[in-house]
Amino acid sequence: VVEAVYRMFENFGFTGYGSVRNGMNALIGAAHSEMESAIHAFRRNGLTMQRRGQALLDEVVNAAFGQSNDPTAQALYHAWLRPAEKLREKFNAAGGAIGMLKDWGLPMTHDAGALAAAGFDKWRAFIEPRLDWDRMKHGVTGATIYPAEREDVLRHVWTSIVTDGWNTRDAAAGRGSGGTWAKRQDARFLHFSGPDEWRDYNKAYGRGDVWATMSSHIRTMARDVALMERFGPNPATTVEWLKNVVMQEAMKAKVGMPSLFPKPTFKSYEGAAKHAQATIDGLFSLARGDGGAAGGALADTGAILRNLQYSAKLGGSILTHAVSNPIVQSFARHIHGIPMTGQLMDMVAGFTESGAREATRAGYIVQDALHVLEQGAREAAAGSRLRQLSNWLPAVTVHYSGLEPFVAAQRRAFMFGAMAHIADHLNQEWSALPDRLRRLLAGYGLRAEEWKVMQGAELYRPETGSAPFLRFSEIQKVGENYITSLGVKLDETVPRVQDLDRPAPSVDASLARAHAEAVALKYLAMLHGETERAVPSSNWRARQFLTGGTREDTFAGQALRSFGMFKGFMGSFMMTHFEAIKQELARDRFAGAAAAGAYLTVLTLGGMVVQQLKAVASGKDLRSIDPSTKEGRDTWGHAMLTSGGLGIFGDFLASDHSSYGHGPLETLAGPMVTGGVDLYTALRNLGQGKKTVGQKVAGAAVDVLRNNTPMLSTHWALRAAYS
């Protein structure tokens, strides 16, 4: 029962039902597919990393308020508005309540910290003259808001934003109060008079970046829809019920009754159940987009220091990924029967601009549109603005080191390969499919009935002339095409879309369309789930394990976040690939053991290449690989650990210090601690008097700079010269 609840939040196949994360990724991917023209128009410049088309983006804001005659701006606005409107409809279908507003304009993401820092009076003086009060109505009665009521109305809005809605929650109702279904009504209450007024407010109290606001709306709407589709209109209530079920099952097991609770290894049944409940709370927090995020001096300082360390330590990771990722993806392809022979060509296509656009149109999530670097609210506190500015450091590092484009190309390559492989088998009946492919689809809830729908889709043939593949968008059209072929209207009844060749119950034609769309989104969720296995980045389970559900405005939260730095890949790799190896062993013990052994061997060889590349990048001699010597054996052991993402542990195989000169406890505590140790050592040496001012102080100062300088410390092309 515990694992079942965890998998409702996040799973990577082998489960049979969807999860919040799979559903969210599918909805974001579908939205990005429709937004492709806008994503491309406002992409970042590869050299300067500045967003292109700023003047055009301003014109898009004008178009949103019906004040632009530019056809390009109008088209790009509607490229965003169409998926935004679809998400609104899905939100309502899942139990939400967002009314349709004509000439709505653009959403507004308020910076709660900026509102709190400014205070109500200053905020009210800024926003009141910029609102269109004729369009704003009382939420319940729909009555006009008179001038005498404006202060009370705005005070309610300000308080709701600053307190995250706690001012209106029923404290007696506990965590289950304040359903997701109602949370987005406030966002559409404020109407700005025009594009200039919206822009002024966005710069002062919003994200500042127009594209960040538009992208954030898509992401958060997809998140809320996925939560409601999985847990109902009030997810918090459902999650509380699930936690109670876990405890109930634990207590049944304790007294010997039939139960779905696993036998604890080290803890009591109560302790194990409480640990599971705490993990569920942490997963729910991550699913809501919180994840322990907070403001304040401690949280901001910690985030800034982590960004400095990410930039100082991340630049050389491209060497590991360039060697290990293709091996990891090959294994992910193997376990599902996807040919490995086309991986190189798929990766080459993923690097090209045309291939990148093809992938986006096929539902690939563009990270640049998902994790935008916004400008931040002008009225935010200094710490918050400095934190926002520091986000550029790791972004610049992964971009200029080549890590970001390489990982993106790898993820696109897997999607291309998976879609082409499924297209190759589309003419086969479900029972005739290869076992590995059938297991892949069934693991995400795609079975014989859904396969029948998928078979009705037309294959997409890329302009590049490469092999055809099956996109989710063509599956979506199956219901529409079927309805059109029968010549019926939406209010007429037609056979179910999955029963095209035999008599079946009749349903409303609109349900045929909805069914095809549901199958398409399941298919897209499968592609994103398996892409994470093929090219691991991070997952909620690993993140929850590393942070323990703590908030970042606590010392414990800061300590655990330092400990968790650079371990997200390791956690995702272990959780997804250990599960896959376990499935292989269950499928055929001997064949599974052979596959796992071959996988480990190739990864170790890859790890050896990584070790030698890192040595060259650091200006050092190549390491010995002679297994007859202790140094050679240590090198091979280090290679085995490095290849699986456990490089920091491999560092200690041959010595008591890591490659950055720190001991095991310091390194495990994370870069924030090791950076502090470097600085402390330099200051301690400086304070020991004139006798040590010289080589010892200079050496400590060099260590501080060599290990902690953003980008220069580990950029693979610069590190040797810098050292």
Side-chain angles (χ1 to χ4, degrees):
V1 67
V2 174
E3 184 65 22
V5 176
Y6 290 172
R7 286 173 180 254
M8 294 177 76
F9 289 99
E10 179 183 59
N11 70 65
F12 300 97
F14 306 122
T15 302
Y17 54 85
S19 67
V20 175
R21 185 170 183 181
N22 289 342
M24 178 182 72
N25 284 342
L27 291 170
I28 294 173
H32 283 191
S33 174
E34 290 199 73
M35 292 168 57
E36 192 278 328
S37 59
I39 290 173
H40 180 72
F42 303 123
R43 68 193 185 282
R44 292 194 182 278
N45 184 294
L47 183 62
T48 65
M49 287 194 70
Q50 295 300 307
R51 196 166 297 287
R52 302 170 190 257
Q54 287 295 333
L56 182 58
L57 193 55
D58 272 345
E59 195 61 28
V60 167
V61 178
N62 295 336
F65 286 86
Q67 297 184 22
S68 174
N69 295 320
D70 186 331
T72 301
Q74 292 175 349
L76 292 174
Y77 169 64
H78 283 93
W80 171 86
L81 184 63
R82 282 191 300 272
E85 179 60 18
K86 287 182 180 180
L87 286 170
R88 183 192 70 84
E89 293 173 353
K90 285 185 174 295
F91 186 89
N92 289 347
I98 303 177
M100 173 63 184
L101 294 176
K102 187 178 180 181
D103 299 326
W104 169 44
L106 286 171
M108 177 58 66
T109 304
H110 305 271
D111 187 318
L115 268 69
F120 171 70
D121 292 334
K122 182 179 179 180
W123 175 80
R124 176 200 171 191
F126 186 90
I127 192 174
E128 186 171 355
R130 290 174 169 81
L131 295 175
D132 185 350
W133 288 95
D134 291 335
R135 297 194 65 192
M136 291 168 56
K137 308 292 182 183
H138 282 289
V140 177
T141 65
T144 299
I145 298 173
Y146 295 104
E149 302 175 288
R150 292 179 183 178
E151 180 177 350
D152 289 340
V153 168
L154 289 178
R155 187 177 294 278
H156 175 80
V157 172
W158 181 87
T159 306
S160 297
I161 294 170
V162 171
T163 66
D164 191 26
W166 276 99
N167 59 309
T168 58
R169 296 186 192 183
D170 181 3
R175 287 192 56 192
S177 61
T180 300
W181 68 273
K183 66 182 290 188
R184 290 192 169 269
Q185 295 179 10
D186 291 341
R188 296 197 172 201
F189 173 72
L190 298 175
H191 289 272
F192 290 89
S193 302
D196 291 335
E197 289 76 11
W198 184 93
R199 269 188 291 262
D200 289 345
Y201 185 86
N202 189 45
K203 290 177 181 177
Y205 293 100
R207 291 188 177 273
D209 186 335
V210 175
W211 183 247
T213 300
M214 297 169 71
S215 298
S216 175
H217 178 76
I218 295 294
R219 184 182 72 250
T220 56
M221 280 291 290
R223 178 198 67 205
D224 289 346
V225 170
L227 270 170
M228 292 169 66
E229 288 182 340
R230 179 74 274 185
F231 295 121
N234 194 339
T237 299
T238 306
V239 169
E240 284 296 307
W241 173 74
L242 287 168
K243 288 165 57 182
N244 290 338
V245 170
V246 166
M247 181 60 75
Q248 185 180 57
E249 291 295 312
M251 294 302 99
K252 287 180 180 179
K254 180 180 179 180
V255 297
M257 296 173 62
S259 170
L260 295 172
F261 196 89
K263 185 177 180 179
T265 304
F266 300 109
K267 300 179 180 180
S268 65
Y269 278 101
E270 292 93 334
K274 288 180 179 178
H275 173 76
Q277 289 180 325
T279 301
I280 292 169
D281 280 338
L283 290 171
F284 185 37
S285 179
L286 289 168
R288 287 180 302 181
D290 175 16
L298 180 60
D300 290 340
T301 300
I304 292 167
L305 292 176
R306 287 196 300 275
N307 283 334
L308 286 167
Q309 289 296 326
Y310 274 123
S311 183
K313 303 282 197 302
L314 202 59
S317 59
I318 178 60
L319 300 178
T320 303
H321 284 270
V323 177
S324 298
N325 274 14
I327 301 172
V328 173
Q329 181 172 161
S330 295
F331 181 72
R333 288 179 177 238
H334 164 73
I335 62 174
H336 297 310
I338 300 171
M340 290 180 271
T341 53
Q343 182 175 338
L344 179 60
M345 294 304 298
D346 289 336
M347 191 173 73
V348 171
F351 268 114
T352 65
E353 183 177 301
S354 60
R357 299 192 71 177
E358 286 277 19
T360 305
R361 288 192 287 266
Y364 173 80
I365 296 176
V366 182
Q367 295 300 314
D368 179 53
L370 189 63
H371 303 297
V372 289
L373 295 165
E374 59 245 27
Q375 299 167 9
R378 185 179 64 234
E379 297 296 332
S384 179
R385 289 185 61 78
L386 187 59
R387 174 178 180 167
Q388 195 65 51
L389 185 63
S390 72
N391 287 338
W392 279 90
L393 292 173
V396 167
T397 301
V398 298
H399 177 76
Y400 285 115
S401 70
L403 179 62
E404 180 186 47
F406 178 81
V407 170
Q410 280 279 303
R411 296 178 77 88
R412 295 183 192 115
F414 180 82
M415 282 192 68
F416 285 143
M419 290 188 292
H421 178 62
I422 292 171
D424 288 342
H425 293 83
L426 210 58
N427 60 348
Q428 295 179 254
E429 291 300 316
W430 175 258
S431 59
L433 289 177
D435 178 63
R436 289 181 181 276
L437 177 57
R438 192 166 58 245
R439 184 179 61 170
L440 164 64
L441 297 170
Y444 289 88
L446 293 163
R447 300 181 179 84
E449 183 176 290
E450 287 79 10
W451 182 251
K452 187 72 176 178
V453 178
M454 293 166 65
Q455 287 184 302
E458 296 181 8
L459 294 182
Y460 173 73
R461 301 185 182 278
E463 297 176 0
T464 57
S466 59
F469 49 80
L470 179 64
R471 302 190 307 182
F472 86 98
S473 50
E474 273 66 45
I475 300 174
Q476 281 182 319
K477 296 175 183 175
V478 171
E480 191 72 44
N481 294 341
Y482 181 49
I483 294 168
T484 303
S485 68
L486 295 179
V488 298
K489 298 178 181 178
L490 280 179
D491 58 351
E492 297 182 33
T493 57
V494 297
R496 291 190 303 170
V497 70
Q498 68 267 29
D499 297 320
L500 306 183
D501 57 355
R502 63 183 186 272
S506 296
V507 297
D508 189 280
S510 61
L511 295 183
R513 175 188 286 130
H515 181 67
E517 183 175 4
V519 173
L521 290 175
K522 278 187 181 182
Y523 174 72
L524 190 53
M526 179 272 295
L527 290 175
H528 283 294
E530 290 307 309
T531 298
E532 176 61 27
R533 190 193 312 281
V535 190
S537 56
S538 65
N539 61 53
W540 290 347
R541 290 275 291 274
R543 185 175 169 188
Q544 162 59 22
F545 173 78
L546 291 170
T547 63
T550 57
R551 288 175 57 86
E552 63 175 351
D553 55 354
T554 64
F555 286 104
Q558 289 297 327
L560 286 174
R561 280 160 177 76
S562 175
F563 166 76
M565 289 179 68
F566 307 116
K567 300 179 181 70
F569 171 85
M570 177 178 70
S572 182
F573 173 83
M574 292 175 66
M575 287 188 174
T576 56
H577 283 259
F578 283 10
E579 179 185 43
I581 291 173
K582 180 181 176 182
Q583 291 291 332
E584 287 292 285
L585 291 170
R587 186 172 180 269
D588 186 318
R589 183 180 302 175
F590 297 105
Y599 186 31
L600 177 62
T601 300
V602 177
L603 273 175
T604 300
L605 292 172
M608 177 59 71
V609 175
V610 171
Q611 292 307 302
Q612 306 296 20
L613 288 174
K614 285 186 174 181
V616 172
S618 300
K620 300 176 181 177
D621 293 335
L622 295 179
R623 299 180 62 168
S624 171
I625 61 172
D626 183 356
S628 65
T629 65
K630 182 181 185 303
E631 183 184 358
R633 290 191 294 272
D634 290 339
T635 301
W636 281 107
H638 194 171
M640 181 176 66
L641 291 172
T642 298
S643 61
L646 299 174
I648 60 170
F649 301 106
D651 273 352
F652 301 114
L653 203 66
S655 68
D656 295 328
H657 291 80
S658 73
S659 53
Y660 289 98
H662 302 114
L665 292 179
E666 297 164 11
T667 303
L668 287 175
M672 290 174 66
V673 173
T674 58
V677 169
D678 288 338
L679 184 60
Y680 169 76
T681 301
L683 294 176
R684 183 190 62 190
N685 290 340
L686 185 62
Q688 287 180 350
K690 294 181 179 180
K691 290 182 179 180
T692 60
V693 176
Q695 184 179 357
K696 202 171 183 181
V697 173
V702 167
D703 285 341
V704 171
L705 295 174
R706 182 171 56 221
N707 296 340
N708 302 283
T709 305
M711 196 159 76
L712 294 175
S713 285
T714 54
H715 193 290
W716 59 273
L718 302 173
R719 186 179 181 189
Y722 179 71
S723 294

